[in-house]
């Protein structure tokens, strides 16, 4: 019996539905087969009817909390996309089954503690079976991972291969609303309510907690943050901790590979041993940054306090919900990354600036596109184009596994644009907001 190409688990949830809809209407739809999976047959049938899927797909009833059920199902697919969160609760058996059966896996998690657990328990096994395990394949944390990757590549290009990346900073700017879904809120509440071991959360948020090697200490964050060589300022981005750990893993995977193989191509792909990364959310003014930070502090403290959390749960969006349908294609984001470099002599090198733009609601609409395109890059017809590291399997990151191909695939959707080139530090134009 031949395998079906893609299984989407959690397809009746908010993000899963968007992924299923995108894949069902993909321009290359005739070249692959797919199935949707979930606990409720009725809800899946309703989704199939809403998306007008007809008979050109499979419907699989499966419980993510049932280990044997997951093992029985997963082995019949080449790629599994999981949007079943919180992943700490529902994701382990899926990754385990994919690892054991050499099935590629892509998810939308923003939970560093879950990623760390998967690295510790499944990285070695995935290397043995050549299963490609890719976490954080949506807005958490593709833009951060991709922009720092492009800037590091640009540094090599504009310095003739002599420079290596050092300080890398990203600023997120949003147009329209960035609305959390019920699933995202449940992930945050899982962490603050003690459902995840406190020690694991603490370890997962340490610098380089997800990286195979430790880099230099990142600079301390200030209350008001600034993007070097520009006038862009802002405050703390709510996902900065998770995104930073993911970027550090990409850095560590490339850096370690270069150290082990000493191959010219691997050395060229390595960012550099002095690389650090940080990010923030841009605001229009300094006062705006202060207000933004205070709102974030109040929100987090409120969720930590049990009575307030209990009341908030009655009014916050429920799991499986998200932005209104009409708002999905509104708004967007612009991520501006500035990365410095150093030359072999120790002298400062050239500076790279990367701008990534996404058109549409980032957290769910664009997440569905990014997640789906990463999965489609793993299809048998496409997999030869991904990175050599990706082909070997293991618990990886979007840019460690997919590399330049992801940039090409996202650009082809018409929803993303990228520009990466040298930034002239002394040019007054660089002082303007992007």
């Amino acid at each position: 019996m031949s395998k079906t190409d893609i299984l989407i688990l959690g397809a009746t949830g908010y993000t899963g539905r968007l992924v299923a809809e995108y894949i069902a209407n993909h321009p290359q739809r005739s070249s692959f087969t797919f199935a949707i999976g979930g606990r409720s047959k009725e809800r899946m049938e309703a989704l199939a009817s809403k998306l007008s899927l007809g008979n050109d797909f499979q419907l699989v009833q499966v419980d993510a909390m049932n280990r044997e059920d997951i093992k029985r199902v997963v082995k019949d697919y080449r790629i599994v996309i999981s949007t079943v969160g919180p992943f700490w609760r529902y994701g382990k058996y899926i990754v385990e089954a994919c690892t054991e059966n050499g099935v590629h896996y892509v998810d939308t998690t923003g939970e560093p503690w879950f990623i760390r657990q998967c690295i510790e328990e499944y990285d070695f096994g995935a290397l043995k079976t050549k299963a490609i395990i890719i976490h954080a394949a949506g807005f958490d944390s593709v833009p951060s991972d991709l922009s720092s990757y492009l800037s590091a590549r640009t540094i090599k290009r504009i310095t003739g291969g002599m420079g290596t990346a050092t300080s890398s900073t990203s600023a997120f700017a949003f147009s329209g609303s960035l609305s959390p879904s019920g699933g995202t809120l449940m992930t945050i509440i899982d962490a603050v309510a003690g459902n995840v071991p406190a020690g694991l959360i603490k370890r997962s948020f340490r610098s380089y907690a997800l990286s195979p090697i430790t880099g230099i200490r990142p600079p301390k964050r200030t209350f008001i943050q600034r993007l070097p060589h520009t006038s862009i300022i802002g405050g703390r981005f709510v996902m900065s901790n998770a995104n930073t750990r993911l970027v550090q893993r990409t850095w560590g995977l490339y850096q370690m590979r270069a150290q082990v193989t000493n191959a010219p191509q691997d050395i060229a792909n390595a960012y550099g041993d002095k690389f650090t990364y940080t990010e923030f959310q841009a605001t229009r003014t300094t006062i705006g940054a202060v207000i933004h930070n205070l709102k974030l502090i109040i929100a987090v403290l409120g969720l930590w306090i049990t009575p307030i959390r209990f009341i908030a749960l009655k009014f916050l969006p429920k799991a499986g919900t998200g932005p209104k349908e009409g708002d999905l294609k509104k708004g967007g984001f612009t991520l501006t990354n500035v990365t410095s470099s150093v030359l072999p002599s120790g002298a400062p090198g050239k500076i790279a600036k990367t701008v990534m733009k996404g058109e549409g609601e980032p957290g769910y609409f664009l997440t569905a596109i990014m997640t789906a395109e990463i999965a489609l890059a793993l299809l048998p017809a496409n997999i030869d184009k991904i990175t050599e590291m990706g082909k070997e399997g293991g618990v990886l990151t979007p840019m460690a596994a997919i590399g330049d191909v992801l940039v090409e695939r996202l650009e082809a959707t018409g929803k993303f644009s990228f520009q990466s080139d040298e930034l002239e530090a002394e040019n007054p134009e660089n002082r303007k907001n992007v």
Side-chain angles (χ1 to χ4, degrees), residues 32-48:
F32 61 86
T33 53
F34 85 103
I36 61 174
R39 286 182 298 177
S40 170
K41 183 178 180 181
E42 291 75 17
R43 290 180 65 189
M44 287 190 289
E45 288 175 341
L47 173 64

Side-chain angles (χ1 to χ4, degrees), residues 107-428:
D107 74 25
T108 56
T109 188
E111 304 164 42
W113 46 90
F114 174 68
I115 300 174
R116 183 181 172 107
Q117 180 190 44
C118 290
I119 293 167
E120 292 174 349
E121 297 188 20
Y122 305 122
D123 186 43
F124 180 70
L127 282 165
K128 289 177 66 177
T129 64
K130 295 190 181 299
I132 303 168
I133 310 296
I134 303 176
H135 297 295
F139 189 65
D140 310 329
S141 303
V142 168
S144 304
D145 198 24
L146 193 153
S147 63
S148 54
Y149 169 92
L150 280 181
S151 284
R153 302 277 283 190
T154 297
I155 290 293
K156 294 293 179 76
R157 174 171 58 83
I158 64 180
T159 62
M162 300 299 292
T164 55
T166 54
S167 173
S168 182
T169 306
S170 294
F172 284 86
F174 299 99
S175 58
S177 61
L178 184 65
S179 305
S181 77
T184 298
L185 291 167
M186 285 304 298
T187 295
I188 297 170
I189 290 167
D190 247 15
V192 301
N195 296 329
V196 182
L200 177 60
I201 293 177
K202 185 177 180 180
R203 293 195 302 274
S204 301
F205 277 136
R206 289 174 182 162
S207 288
Y208 304 99
L210 305 182
S211 174
I213 58 176
T214 301
I216 64 175
R217 184 185 295 275
K220 288 186 177 181
R221 274 188 292 230
T222 55
F223 193 70
I224 305 299
Q225 295 177 261
R226 302 178 185 277
L227 189 64
H229 310 293
T230 76
S231 60
I232 299 175
I233 61 172
R236 186 72 172 265
F237 182 40
V238 66
M239 289 305 299
S240 62
N241 273 332
N243 291 340
T244 298
R245 302 301 161 258
L246 198 285
V247 170
Q248 288 171 342
R249 179 160 181 77
T250 301
W251 165 82
L253 288 167
Y254 277 116
Q255 201 68 21
M256 184 176 71
R257 187 178 180 88
Q259 293 172 5
V260 171
T261 68
N262 205 33
Q265 187 57 55
D266 291 332
I267 293 172
N269 289 338
Y271 294 11
D273 59 4
K274 294 180 175 61
F275 176 85
T276 63
Y277 180 80
T278 188
E279 65 182 31
F280 63 93
Q281 183 169 336
T283 58
R284 292 183 181 276
T285 63
T286 301
I287 294 298
V290 172
I291 293 171
H292 169 83
N293 283 338
L294 291 175
K295 285 181 177 178
L296 192 58
I297 291 168
I298 292 168
V300 172
L301 287 176
L303 289 176
W304 274 102
I305 300 170
T306 303
I308 296 177
R309 184 171 66 246
F310 179 79
I311 295 170
L313 281 171
K314 295 182 178 296
F315 299 98
L316 292 173
K318 306 300 180 186
T321 64
K324 295 178 181 178
E325 196 83 23
D327 294 335
L328 286 172
K329 294 184 180 180
K330 296 178 181 178
F333 76 92
T334 299
L335 184 157
T336 306
N337 175 276
V338 172
T339 299
S340 301
S341 69
V342 65
L343 299 174
S345 65
K350 294 182 177 181
I351 301 163
K353 176 183 174 183
T354 297
V355 178
M356 174 181 181
K357 294 184 178 182
E359 181 184 334
E361 194 282 325
Y364 298 92
F365 178 70
L366 295 182
T367 281
I369 296 174
M370 290 184 274
T371 303
E373 290 296 342
I374 287 172
L376 291 169
L378 302 178
L379 288 169
N382 302 328
I383 202 166
D384 284 346
K385 299 176 183 178
I386 69 171
T387 69
E388 291 304 311
M389 192 188 319
K391 294 172 189 175
E392 293 171 6
V395 179
L396 302 172
T397 65
M399 298 317 295
I402 311 298
D404 294 337
V405 170
L406 182 55
V407 180
E408 296 167 10
R409 295 193 70 93
L410 293 183
E411 277 188 319
T413 69
K415 295 297 181 182
F416 296 90
S417 65
F418 306 92
Q419 186 174 12
S420 189
D421 216 326
E422 181 178 357
L423 185 152
E424 298 288 350
E426 300 304 319
N427 187 340

